[in-house]
Amino acid sequence: MKSNETIPLSNNICTENNTLVTTLLVNTYDIDIAGHVNNIVYIRWLEDMRTKLFEQLYSLSNLLQNNYYLVVISCDTKYKKAIKLFDIPIGTMKLQSYSHGVLIFNAEIKINNNTAFSAIQRCVLMNLEDNKMFFGDISEIISLQY
């Protein structure tokens, strides 16, 4: 993929420069008694966005076949504005960096161009055989796919 190329996907998803942008769905069961999206839904959205973004880099089924899996080691979240039932949140997630075995993902969810939520997730690739973290060049893992 060229650095300025955009790949259109289903459900208003596109990736460019290790970034995913998608429209998120607020379901009736996502709403808590106070009338806004429950905090756990934001974490589910992070999982969905990270999985879709990482899938663009490397097939998850191939990752597992090669005995690796992605593990979240930390997640720093900031809730800035309540999201309600009929809001249309737009989620953005970017693979910011990879260094010393740690992948850093930055996420933001906006309503009407105003930030409602932001997060930084740190993840590592773990080896299923020895349960050790992968510290090498991530292109070594990606090259196993081809």
Side-chain angles (χ1 to χ4, degrees), residues 72-85:
V72 176
I73 58 172
S74 72
C75 185
D76 300 320
T77 60
K78 302 241 185 296
Y79 300 90
K80 299 179 179 185
K81 181 182 182 320
I83 297 177
K84 300 189 178 199
L85 182 58

Side-chain angles (χ1 to χ4, degrees), residues 58 63 66 68 125 134 137-145:
Y58 193 88
L63 189 69
N66 286 296
Y68 289 99
L125 286 171
F134 178 80
D137 183 345
I138 198 165
S139 63
E140 294 172 25
I141 300 284
I142 294 169
S143 68
L144 293 173
Q145 175 169 256

Side-chain angles (χ1 to χ4, degrees), residues 59-128:
S59 161
L60 294 177
S61 62
N62 286 349
L63 189 69
L64 288 171
Q65 288 174 1
N66 286 296
N67 294 315
Y68 289 99
Y69 64 104
L70 196 61
V71 175
V72 176
I73 58 172
S74 72
C75 185
D76 300 320
T77 60
K78 302 241 185 296
Y79 300 90
K80 299 179 179 185
K81 181 182 182 320
I83 297 177
K84 300 189 178 199
L85 182 58
F86 298 106
D87 287 339
I88 302 171
I90 305 296
T92 303
M93 180 168 275
K94 179 176 181 134
L95 175 55
Q96 190 66 41
S97 65
Y98 174 80
S99 180
H100 305 290
V102 178
L103 296 111
I104 298 177
F105 294 89
N106 289 341
E108 184 174 53
I109 298 173
K110 292 185 173 186
I111 299 293
N112 299 322
N113 288 323
N114 295 312
T115 300
F117 173 83
S118 63
I120 298 172
Q121 285 192 323
R122 290 170 184 81
C123 302
V124 296
L125 286 171
M126 296 294 291
N127 186 306
L128 285 167

